[in-house]
Amino acid sequence: MQIDTLGCDGGIGGTRRTTCYRVDQTILIDAGTGLLDLPLEALEKIDHIFLTHSHFDHILGLPLLLDSVYKNRQTPVTVHALPETIAILQSHIFNWKIWPDFSLIPRADQGALRFQPLRMGKSVSIDDWVISPLPVNHVIPAIGYALVSPQGALAISGDTTSCEAFWNHLNRLSRLDYLIVEASFPNDAQDLAKISKHFCPSLLQADLKLLNHRPAIFISHLKPGFEDAIMAELQAQCAGMGFTLQALQRQHRFKLA
Ligand SMILES: [Zn+2]
Ligand SMILES: [Zn+2]
């Protein structure tokens, strides 16, 4: 039971990659630029993709993935997402203008893509994982995910700003070993964080007071060039709260054992 960080940055440049996590061999959470580093054989093994929302940095690998793998796959790739996210992808990506509708390719009765709508309160079981959507607060409909296995639990916020319901859902889990939560901007960009509905350190510190668990916390979606400033502010503001807190690095592997 492992989760590989293929991408966790708030932008690109050098070794930065945008959001994509691989759960064991066959499941992805988001499909940002981190996906593009996988070899073709690994891409062909992806059966399920759970999307947090439709923003470009989280989905851009999906159209390219489908085009690269459909020839050697017997079954469609299932994309799990909110109904609103699915509607946006159908209207704005898989519309034959930006990219073909891969639910009809290679054949109308045998598409390479299958959408599976998610709803809050309903979990999806795959292998030994139970994957549940978590409420978050972003500028468009968005969710985070709790990934629970018999060996432990990890939660991913995706993109969000302050959201009491998110922490309430986490508190209902029987355990939480790891939390990946975003902090996109430094405190001097708090106005931008609020407008774009992301966390900055002061907003995240206030929300962390709502969390009853004491997981190892990994910070994601740091905007390029501001990584050190954001982490220094967070470490200072969260000192004494009892958390271990670090910037998530690409290729970090979470093992639940
Ligand atoms: Zn977003
Ligand atoms: Zn994002």
Side-chain angles (χ1 to χ4, degrees), residues 87-196:
I88 292 167
L89 292 175
Q90 288 172 325
S91 298
H92 299 288
I93 300 289
F94 298 104
N95 57 10
W96 297 97
K97 298 183 183 106
I98 297 293
W99 207 245
D101 181 356
F102 270 84
S103 65
L104 303 174
I105 287 180
R107 296 205 324 253
D109 63 345
Q110 192 189 324
L113 163 66
R114 186 175 79 91
F115 283 114
Q116 183 67 48
L118 285 174
R119 61 182 170 82
M120 206 55 64
K122 188 95 171 65
S123 298
V124 178
S125 295
I126 300 172
D127 301 329
D128 279 339
W129 293 99
V130 177
I131 301 174
S132 309
L134 300 169
V136 299
N137 179 14
H138 197 35
V139 287
I140 57 169
I143 47 180
Y145 288 103
L147 291 86
V148 178
S149 81
Q151 281 79 37
L154 175 147
I156 299 172
S157 74
D159 288 9
T160 187
T161 188
S162 308
C163 183
E164 192 176 345
F166 175 72
W167 306 102
N168 289 342
H169 269 69
L170 293 185
N171 288 336
R172 274 183 228 135
L173 298 173
S174 60
R175 63 187 281 184
L176 182 61
D177 302 271
Y178 302 106
L179 170 63
I180 301 171
V181 61
E182 74 126 287
S184 295
F185 296 107
N187 281 330
D188 66 6
Q190 183 172 130
D191 288 348
L192 180 54
K194 285 181 174 171
I195 291 169
S196 59

Side-chain angles (χ1 to χ4, degrees), residues 20-75:
C20 186
Y21 303 96
R22 185 174 61 167
V23 183
D24 294 332
Q25 299 293 310
T26 63
I27 304 169
L28 293 182
I29 309 292
D30 279 344
T33 65
L35 174 59
L36 309 183
D37 295 321
L38 284 182
L40 181 59
E41 309 77 60
L43 295 173
E44 288 172 344
K45 289 184 182 147
I46 303 298
D47 292 324
H48 299 273
I49 304 178
F50 289 79
L51 297 177
T52 59
H53 65 308
S54 58
H55 276 162
F56 196 59
D57 55 324
H58 299 255
I59 60 108
L60 77 89
L62 172 60
L64 299 171
L65 167 82
L66 296 170
D67 190 35
S68 297
V69 304
Y70 78 89
K71 298 170 208 71
N72 284 335
R73 284 182 56 86
Q74 308 305 315
T75 56

